[in-house]
């Protein structure tokens, strides 16, 4: 079957760096996406990795290791507004038109 | 552009009632999808469509129907509401020229309670 594992909660302080891990099990891997969702809001797309390595977009970076079936989202210079849930997602095995999401990691940023 | 819009924002149904959740997008996206999100959980795909006239099932399709008569609209029908369908429903769209589907634009959601 397919599955994604993420920590349920992470806590950090403003200005710090936090890493949110995601391990996945799927056949026919097409890439790993990350989404952010604030309480009461809609998910918004953050990043996508199809190949191994680090992708940087401002304060956020995303990493993928296909050999380890593992990726992470790195948030630097944390701000209070980064408090949200973060979801990793992969296309379904055998059908890249379907996305399966992890259960999400709730990030709490404290002063 | 309004992006992805959903109506209604909130809805309360009684068990056995039916209703349609509306979703529309003005980005000319071919791909549209419906998800449900239960407390503390990720999003689960209900149905999706890769273009007008083409729909397919996701992870949790039972109890829901969809149709896609235009590129813009993708309504979700609850046939006979059950308390287990209490959830937040999100509609999303993306440009289908980017397979695999990885970047989706989400609507604001419909919060549905079935009593």
């Amino acid at each position: 079957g397919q599955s994604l594992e993420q920590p349920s909660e992470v806590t950090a302080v403003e200005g710090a760096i936090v890493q949110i891990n995601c391990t996945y099990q799927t056949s026919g891997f097409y890439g790993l996406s990350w989404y952010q969702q604030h309480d009461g809001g809609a998910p918004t797309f953050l990043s996508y990795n199809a190949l191994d390595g680090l992708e940087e977009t401002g304060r956020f970076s995303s990493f993928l290791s296909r050999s380890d079936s593992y990726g992470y989202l790195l948030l630097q210079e944390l701000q209070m507004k980064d408090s949200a849930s973060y979801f990793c997602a992969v296309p379904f095995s055998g059908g890249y038109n379907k996305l399966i999401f992890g259960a999400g990691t709730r990030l709490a940023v404290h002063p | 552009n309004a992006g992805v819009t959903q109506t209604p924002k909130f809805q309360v149904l009684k068990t056995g009632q039916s209703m349609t959740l509306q979703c529309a997008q003005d980005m000319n996206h071919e791909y549209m999808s419906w998800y449900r999100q239960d407390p503390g959980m990720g999003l689960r795909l209900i149905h999706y469509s890769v273009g007008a006239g083409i729909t397919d099932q996701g992870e949790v399709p039972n109890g829901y129907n969809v149709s896609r008569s235009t590129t813009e609209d993708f309504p979700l029908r609850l046939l006979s509401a059950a308390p287990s369908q209490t959830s937040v429903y999100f509609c999303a769209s993306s440009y289908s020229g980017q397979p695999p589907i990885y970047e989706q634009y989400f609507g604001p959601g419909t919060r549905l309670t079935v009593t």
Side-chain angles (χ1 to χ4, degrees):
Chain A
Q2 298 194 213
S3 65
L4 295 104
E5 297 289 333
Q6 308 179 232
S8 57
E9 290 184 15
V10 173
T11 304
V13 296
E14 270 188 303
I17 299 172
V18 72
Q19 179 174 311
I20 299 174
N21 299 320
C22 175
T23 57
Y24 58 85
Q25 271 192 313
T26 181
S27 58
F29 179 75
Y30 297 105
L32 183 71
S33 302
W34 288 94
Y35 286 77
Q36 178 191 59
Q37 184 181 31
H38 288 99
D39 284 348
T44 57
F45 172 77
L46 289 177
S47 67
Y48 172 68
N49 295 69
L51 302 175
D52 292 350
L54 191 68
E55 298 275 347
E56 298 183 59
T57 309
R59 295 187 298 112
F60 293 6
S61 303
S62 56
F63 172 83
L64 176 66
S65 169
R66 289 174 295 173
S67 60
D68 296 321
S69 298
Y70 162 76
Y72 65 73
L73 182 68
L74 190 72
L75 296 81
Q76 303 182 73
E77 301 171 17
L78 280 173
Q79 303 175 9
M80 297 294 290
K81 67 178 181 180
D82 297 329
S83 293
S85 292
Y86 294 84
F87 298 90
C88 57
V90 295
F92 272 6
S93 301
Y96 54 58
N97 280 325
K98 306 180 187 182
L99 270 188
I100 179 170
F101 284 79
T105 298
R106 189 172 183 87
L107 171 64
V109 180
H110 297 290
Chain B
N1 284 353
V4 181
T5 58
Q6 292 183 237
T7 55
K9 286 186 168 51
F10 300 93
Q11 183 70 48
V12 179
L13 288 179
K14 294 188 189 307
T15 297
Q17 287 184 318
S18 63
M19 78 160 295
T20 298
L21 308 186
Q22 301 291 344
C23 174
Q25 52 91 11
D26 61 0
M27 297 174 282
N28 201 31
H29 285 168
E30 291 291 327
Y31 183 93
M32 296 186 74
S33 55
W34 276 102
Y35 294 86
R36 62 176 287 172
Q37 185 175 34
D38 300 311
M41 297 182 68
L43 298 115
R44 292 185 291 169
L45 182 65
I46 304 171
H47 286 285
Y48 70 97
S49 168
V50 298
I54 307 169
T55 64
D56 204 349
Q57 297 181 348
E59 287 180 90
V60 289
N62 292 341
Y64 308 95
N65 271 358
V66 292
S67 60
R68 184 96 178 272
S69 56
T70 67
T71 298
E72 295 77 22
D73 300 298
F74 191 43
L76 178 73
R77 296 183 193 85
L78 279 71
L79 308 173
S80 177
S84 61
Q85 293 179 304
T86 293
S87 189
V88 180
Y89 291 84
F90 288 101
C91 178
S93 73
S94 61
Y95 171 52
S96 67
Q98 53 154 58
I101 298 297
Y102 62 85
E103 178 179 3
Q104 297 198 22
Y105 296 81
F106 283 82
T110 295
R111 283 149 183 80
L112 176 69
T113 301
V114 183
T115 60

